[in-house]
Amino acid sequence: VSRVLVWAIGVIADNVSDDYDSSCEIYPFSGMSDSVRRSVGMFVRWDSVYFVRVANNGYEFDQTFAFYPFFPAIMRFFGNVLSYVIPSLTEIDRTVIAGFAVSNISFVCSALLVYRLSLLYRPHIAFTSVMLFCFNPASVFMTALYTESTFAVAVLSALSILHSETQSKPSDIRQLLTLVPLVVAAGTRSNGVLCVLFLCEPVMHALADCLISFQNVNKLVKAVTRLALHAIVVAFPSILYLSFAYFRFCGDQTAIGANGMNDTIWCNNTIPNIYSHVQTKYWNVGLFRYYRLQQLPNFILPLPVFCVAVCCIYSFLIEHFDHKKFSLKETLVKILRNRTTPLYAHLTVTVIIGLTVLHVQVFTRFSSACLPLYWYCAERCRHSLTFSKWLWRVLIGYVFIGTALFVNFLPWT
């Protein structure tokens, strides 16, 4: 229902108002049929244009390397399948329809996984949690040809495998199976490597045992070693992707111009990373680079989400404190033995990166797969009618205003 609502808002807003940036008419719309353009074309905006182009033409020039390959690859795959089902469709039509379908099917699967995981750890607020997910601030991006829904279903699938049981620690087999969706997440977005934090539960348990008795150090060393190996596996898509860029642009200096790359200073870096290079060069992404007075409105836009995230982390920490008899050691052991701690650790790192490195307004999308946010808000809604009314007004505002601005090629998160 939420996807139908977002689609309907998008169609109406696109027909009521002209696009602010008419350059979007050049590509990919020049190769799109009128029926596809009117039905789902309004969701091909901003980064979606790059995803469609990469899906159809590959990585033509350096700027396209800001977009990880899994989502364009799956768009191309299902687009090719559509060519056999409906041969009359143009290549761009097939790619756009495939991307739109993948995003929305992934979203529905993500919502089911949110509900399943919530039933395990927060059964009394499971329904509210999934409703909040369905109308989250990044809602339009989860319908559009963006990576948000694909990334969310990969992350939540990993958590679902890891947390198939609430009480027992994940077995070695479950940890290995979890690597599959985590590798997909890492191949979908650069921040997918952060999801390795979900695998740190054995390390946490070993560390808790060491705090109780130092005789358990060997167990901790084994757990850390296993986590390091898992981290390499999760990071492999990024390593492969960056290596492909390096050998393409830096391996043969005579082919640089032909490969659409004139600025190859990044090739000489200690760790040659085209992704960070193009993010800095074209989008000015970097440590505190966004802290400018003219960007103040963009700091206000994600402020409600940042506030909820900080309160969520604070609430998690406070619930482990014994205010009558405080003991740092006992508090740490409680936190380390809590099976949901990796989720809050992941959220904490996400907040730090969002505040220091990213364009802050994209935090609404960056945090959309962070399950603790929905649990915290659902719990607050359960205990405070005032908070519930305020929250739903904000979310509906994000959905309606965000969708209307996005489809008309106006700046949004």
Side-chain angles (χ1 to χ4, degrees), residues 45-61:
R45 298 288 189 267
W46 300 105
D47 292 357
S48 300
V49 175
Y50 286 98
F51 286 121
V52 172
R53 190 169 188 98
V54 171
N56 287 333
N57 304 308
Y59 289 93
E60 301 170 286
F61 42 88

Side-chain angles (χ1 to χ4, degrees), residues 50-89:
Y50 286 98
F51 286 121
V52 172
R53 190 169 188 98
V54 171
N56 287 333
N57 304 308
Y59 289 93
E60 301 170 286
F61 42 88
D62 62 337
Q63 195 171 357
T64 56
F65 277 86
F67 305 93
Y68 268 49
F70 182 78
F71 186 57
I74 201 168
M75 286 168 63
R76 185 179 182 88
F77 173 79
F78 285 109
N80 289 335
V81 172
L82 274 175
S83 68
Y84 296 101
V85 180
I86 314 176
S88 59
L89 291 174

Side-chain angles (χ1 to χ4, degrees), residues 107-121:
F107 178 85
V108 173
C109 294
S110 298
L112 293 173
L113 290 168
V114 168
Y115 186 67
R116 182 183 184 280
L117 287 162
S118 299
L119 282 176
L120 285 174
Y121 290 103

